[in-house]
Amino acid sequence: MTDTLLHDRPRAAVPPLVRADVAALFDLPFTELLFRAATVHRQHHDPVQVERATLLSIKTGGCPEDCGYCSQSTQAESGLAASKLMDVDAVLAAAAAAKAAGSQRFCMGAAWRNPKDRDMDALCAMVEGVNALGLESCMTLGMLTGAQAERLGEAGLDYYNHNLDTSPENYGNVITTRTWDDRLDTLAAVRAAGVNVCCGGIVGMGESRADRVGFLHALATLPEAPESVPINALVPVAGTVLGDMLKDVPSARIDDIEFVRTVAVARILMPQSMVRLSAGRESMSDSTQALCFLAGANSIFTGDKLLTTGNAGGDRDAALFAKLGLNGAANG
Ligand code: SAM
Ligand code: DTB
Ligand code: SF4
């Protein structure tokens, strides 16, 4: 049989992933879900390796977008002072410190709707400098045009973070100043520029299980799965719409077991991706974090700050990694 004939043979059709498939995973008995996720994780990754990434806010506050969770929106009364884009040298000094502290990836975030073309030279110099330190580079700057994504790609940017954040139905309850389709356009521009996609979202914003199903279904059915999937638990910041909501309705806080289920379903749906246990880790117990690693999380943000809120910190992470024997750390 010739190659042509082989190629012409009908392939067994793989049915498209539907929301009912995702809901069925969430509905599994917890231990069964964890076992399946841990099995998938072992087929694609070394289960004791957990990547450490450090975040830096390179331009803080004063953001014109109205994301209901965010301290940096001008709509929030969080008391955060707005600042200008940091100098390249100061960013690279922070990156060198992150490298010395053991980080593998350096993620630079700016509170912008989108970067201005006049910022591109400095942003590209940051990417080049971070890569030259032997770190992976990641940026999250809001929406990008195709040309801006190309420039960052040419500078060597490894990852661009741009989240879908929640289900398409819940999206408008969280953000009104840019649409779901705007987000898809930016993700497509990043892909077209050959930059790896980091795309995830937030749980614990009072959304339903069905929203978490819709959110993970949307990520897993993008034209290509994101290489990196941050799962954030809402960090309630006073003065933000959602932070204040959580203060008034404490029962809206996501249950730890439901959070672990979300991580496990993400791992099963996107077997090859890095699943990142992101914001919200500071308020999680060691046991909950351990369950997340068992469920397939294999990346964290380390250091004592995320962008504007606190993080568990390098010492606590080193102690946790030693206790769990992660990354070859001694335990006992
Ligand atoms: N301005 C850029 C943008 O939104 O595209 C980048 C920075 S933004 C802070 C990146 C992501 O951080 C958001 O999409 C959201 O998922 C997450 N995030 C922001 N504030 C958060 C909070 N209070 N708790 C949990 N996650 C948060
Ligand atoms: C992501 O999904 N989580 C990180 C990263 N991408 C940029 C940011 C978390 C921010 C948490 C709130 C803050 O510190 O302002
Ligand atoms: Fe601005 Fe990003 Fe915060 Fe939204 S999440 S308000 S875009 S900094």
Side-chain angles (χ1 to χ4, degrees):
M1 197 181 286
T2 65
D3 275 1
T4 318
L5 280 173
L6 268 176
H7 286 303
D8 285 348
R9 284 169 66 191
R11 297 221 183 113
V14 181
L17 183 77
V18 294
R19 285 191 184 196
D21 302 327
V22 181
L25 290 173
F26 266 100
D27 284 344
L28 283 171
F30 183 66
T31 46
E32 179 61 22
L33 174 60
L34 236 63
F35 182 78
R36 288 202 202 176
T39 305
V40 169
H41 190 199
R42 275 152 184 72
Q43 286 162 354
H44 296 272
H45 305 270
D46 177 345
V48 299
Q49 291 302 324
V50 174
E51 175 196 63
R52 278 158 299 165
T54 299
L55 274 166
L56 178 69
S57 180
I58 58 171
K59 192 271 162 198
T60 305
C63 183
E65 306 285 328
D66 69 350
C67 311
Y69 46 75
C70 188
S71 61
Q72 307 199 68
S73 166
T74 49
Q75 313 263 325
E77 288 171 13
S78 59
L80 195 73
S83 68
K84 291 201 294 201
L85 182 63
M86 284 173 70
D87 288 337
V88 176
D89 288 351
V91 171
L92 297 185
K99 166 95 180 162
S103 255
Q104 286 119 33
R105 199 186 287 187
F106 192 66
C107 305
M108 295 159 270
W112 281 325
R113 177 170 166 80
N114 50 261
K116 304 229 169 20
D117 284 341
R118 65 166 187 259
D119 297 316
M120 294 308 295
D121 285 347
L123 294 168
C124 290
M126 290 173 195
V127 169
E128 285 161 6
V130 166
N131 290 350
L133 288 167
L135 285 160
E136 283 188 320
S137 54
C138 179
M139 280 186 158
T140 178
L141 314 167
M143 295 188 282
L144 293 184
T145 63
Q148 289 173 331
E150 287 287 336
R151 275 212 66 193
L152 292 170
E154 282 160 14
L157 183 66
D158 291 307
Y159 289 84
Y160 193 78
N161 168 242
H162 198 65
N163 290 341
L164 290 177
D165 272 345
T166 186
S167 68
E169 299 80 21
N170 192 39
Y171 184 88
N173 298 324
V174 180
I175 301 137
T176 69
T177 49
R178 66 176 170 218
T179 65
W180 179 267
D181 285 346
D182 289 335
R183 301 248 178 177
L184 294 180
D185 288 348
T186 293
L187 293 172
V190 171
R191 268 269 167 257
V195 176
N196 291 308
V197 169
C198 174
C199 182
I202 314 190
V203 294
M205 300 188 292
E207 77 285 340
S208 62
R209 160 75 71 85
D211 288 319
R212 291 187 281 279
V213 168
F215 157 57
L216 292 185
H217 177 263
L219 289 178
T221 56
L222 284 169
E224 276 177 73
E227 282 75 17
S228 175
V229 180
I231 307 290
N232 298 278
L234 178 68
V235 178
V237 179
T240 61
V241 174
L242 289 167
D244 290 344
M245 177 278 296
L246 213 55
K247 204 170 53 193
D248 297 340
V249 190
S251 59
R253 184 186 177 278
I254 191 162
D255 174 71
D256 286 344
I257 297 294
E258 182 69 7
F259 184 84
V260 178
R261 279 184 188 276
T262 309
V263 170
V265 175
R267 165 51 67 222
I268 294 170
L269 295 179
M270 293 167 279
Q272 289 169 347
S273 307
M274 301 299 287
V275 173
R276 320 185 75 187
L277 175 52
S278 303
R281 213 164 57 80
E282 192 178 49
S283 59
M284 282 175 204
S285 67
D286 285 358
S287 318
T288 299
Q289 293 187 54
L291 284 174
C292 289
F293 297 132
L294 184 60
N298 57 353
S299 176
I300 59 165
F301 288 114
T302 191
D304 51 17
K305 207 167 170 203
L306 292 169
L307 288 173
T308 67
T309 64
N311 191 31
D315 290 350
R316 180 170 164 201
D317 290 339
L320 179 65
F321 277 39
K323 205 197 283 194
L324 301 179
L326 292 173
N327 290 5
N331 56 19

